[in-house]
Amino acid sequence: MTGSGGSGAFDLEVERIRLLAARALGRAASSDVSAVEQRLDTLTRTIGPERAGGLAHLIGLGPDELAFLWATIGATIDPELVLYLPRLGPRSGRTGISVAQFAALTELDSSRCLRLGRDLLGASPLVRHRLIELIDPRAVSIETSWVAVSRV
């Protein structure tokens, strides 16, 4: 499921999202995911704790919002990831990622998932600075798809 991306931070983050998807799908199928977890750990160490820390600090993103931004970017542009997202949970729309899928992808606990969903519908910097947008703002729910805007 994962390809060999480039060495830039952008490619590493998208690869990280692919590995999270592989782990989530593997666990759902009761498969051994130890090799995926090992690759994910290595990649996470390579990316380091500063992953887009400047942007996060500049516009006030929390760690869950930053992770959701990368997942949304991956879901918007990565043809490999797009094939697997429907198996991670519900979403309305044919593209993007829902908060429900993100929760399955990252194993976000229910309170953090609820907070992220509430923040996205409120005053999240991701929405306020137009980094992401809803596919259909008329039908907002935990299943509504989010996509990265083209300037991201």
Side-chain angles (χ1 to χ4, degrees):
M1 178 169 152
T2 59
S4 57
S7 60
F10 187 90
D11 294 330
L12 294 174
E13 288 288 357
V14 172
E15 178 67 12
R16 183 176 170 279
I17 298 303
R18 282 189 205 131
L19 288 170
L20 287 171
R23 182 182 70 183
L25 292 171
R27 286 183 176 165
S30 299
S31 299
D32 179 16
V33 294
S34 57
V36 173
E37 286 180 333
Q38 189 173 34
R39 289 170 60 196
L40 183 57
D41 289 343
T42 300
L43 184 60
T44 300
R45 281 192 305 277
T46 300
I47 294 170
E50 293 300 313
R51 40 186 289 237
L55 173 66
H57 178 72
L58 181 67
I59 66 171
L61 292 180
D64 292 339
E65 289 172 310
L66 181 59
F68 189 73
L69 174 60
W70 282 116
T72 304
I73 291 168
T76 303
I77 65 157
D78 184 29
E80 191 173 344
L81 183 60
V82 167
L83 296 173
Y84 299 100
L85 283 174
R87 294 175 29 205
L88 286 176
R91 74 172 174 202
S92 61
R94 302 183 91 191
T95 62
I97 189 169
S98 69
V99 175
Q101 289 173 318
F102 177 73
L105 187 76
T106 59
E107 300 176 337
L108 202 64
D109 67 53
S110 60
S111 65
R112 287 172 58 197
C113 182
L114 182 61
R115 186 174 340 133
L116 177 63
R118 184 191 64 227
D119 291 348
L120 288 171
L121 297 177
S124 170
L126 293 173
V127 178
R128 191 172 59 245
H129 293 287
R130 298 190 41 119
L131 298 174
I132 64 172
E133 62 188 11
L134 288 164
I135 288 289
D136 184 359
R138 298 169 298 158
V140 178
S141 75
I142 201 76
E143 297 176 3
T144 304
S145 294
W146 293 85
V147 293
V149 297
S150 59
R151 66 187 175 111
V152 174

